[in-house]
Amino acid sequence: MTSNKTRIFIDGQHGTTGLKIHERLKDRPDIELLELPMAERKDLARRVEIAQAADIAVLCLPDAAVKELMAALGDAEVCVIDASTAHRVADGWTYGFPELSKDHRQKLLASKRISNPGCYPTGAIAILHPLVEAGIVRADSTPAVFGVSGYTGGGKELIEVHKKTEVEPFGVYGLELAHKHVPEMKKYSGLVHTPLFVPSVGHYAQGMLIMVPITRDITARQVRAAEVHQVLSDHYAGETFVPVRPLADRKWLERDRFLRADRLIDTNSMELAVYGNEAEGNILAVASLDNLGKGASGAAVQVINLKTGVDETTGLAVAA
């Protein structure tokens, strides 16, 4: 073992997110990956032992398995990045979205317990947080958030479904309106009430769009698309992974019309855009990202880079 390498243990490295994190880290000279034999990967005592030997433990597990491991780890010094939903709104955990605010990187640097953001919330919060903070979207309003993701967002079970020939080309789900991502959308957007979230899955592997209509009923006053665009541009000025497209930009549209959900696959970029109809006063904000990139594994690697003092783009692709 080389002492200047960061020791990382990925608990659940054979799942969708874990595999992508492993892929991004395995050839890096600054990283030493600690691994358990397949026969021991469900042995709690061995997982605790190897997690405690690591500098950073990344948990790519179901919520129950994460909670079991964290109970066994207690106050261990290891830095934990939890990719499940178990601690996304929990006290004592720092949300792993470095671009959330100007001082959020310092909070992440000081934290030993970090919750990796969900894919849909990453886009929703990226849009809503700055607008609530700027007083454009009312904190006591109920924004609508619409999202479509590739089927890899549903993990191994949904991937297997979409390998079959007889599968729906597109489907809306979460119609009980209690999706597991809603609590973090509410908390980190600065909302009093949960947003109305409508997720959907398309019959393609990776990539997602999150759309937030900036309607009259959620704004504090009459606003124009240019003002919404300026707030987002100012908030993410200088951010490599969160560029804001020019107002009403058409250059990224397929055939000058269609915004593809799979534009940014295999990158850690999340592009934001604002469109408006001035005559009607309608405004739409859109986030485009890879559900397995900035929406999952890429986000975790970005935080690992931040915590280890290397450039945040190390091992991560940026959209051209």
Side-chain angles (χ1 to χ4, degrees), residues 196-222:
L196 172 64
F197 176 46
V198 184
S200 59
V201 171
H203 185 49
Y204 66 96
Q206 285 173 247
M208 69 190 320
L209 297 172
I210 295 95
M211 296 148 283
V212 182
I214 311 301
T215 51
R216 295 177 186 84
D217 62 313
I218 69 169
T219 53
R221 51 182 170 77
Q222 186 175 356

Side-chain angles (χ1 to χ4, degrees), residues 7 9 34 45-55 57 72-78:
R7 295 164 298 173
F9 170 50
L34 307 182
R46 287 288 289 125
R47 288 164 53 220
V48 170
E49 180 184 348
I50 198 166
Q52 288 176 328
D55 299 302
L73 277 175
D75 296 326
E77 274 297 299
V78 59

Side-chain angles (χ1 to χ4, degrees), residues 163-185:
K163 285 181 179 178
K164 300 173 183 176
T165 54
E166 297 299 323
V167 65
E168 64 276 6
F170 177 90
V172 173
Y173 68 102
L175 295 174
E176 65 283 353
L177 304 184
H179 193 279
K180 64 181 181 179
H181 284 164
V182 169
E184 66 188 283
M185 287 186 193

Side-chain angles (χ1 to χ4, degrees), residues 149-172:
S149 173
Y151 57 76
T152 53
K156 289 182 177 180
E157 183 178 343
L158 192 59
I159 291 170
E160 286 303 314
V161 169
H162 277 267
K163 285 181 179 178
K164 300 173 183 176
T165 54
E166 297 299 323
V167 65
E168 64 276 6
F170 177 90
V172 173

Side-chain angles (χ1 to χ4, degrees), residues 298-312:
V301 173
Q302 184 182 349
V303 171
I304 289 170
N305 291 343
L306 177 67
K307 296 289 284 184
T308 56
V310 303
D311 189 290
E312 281 185 37

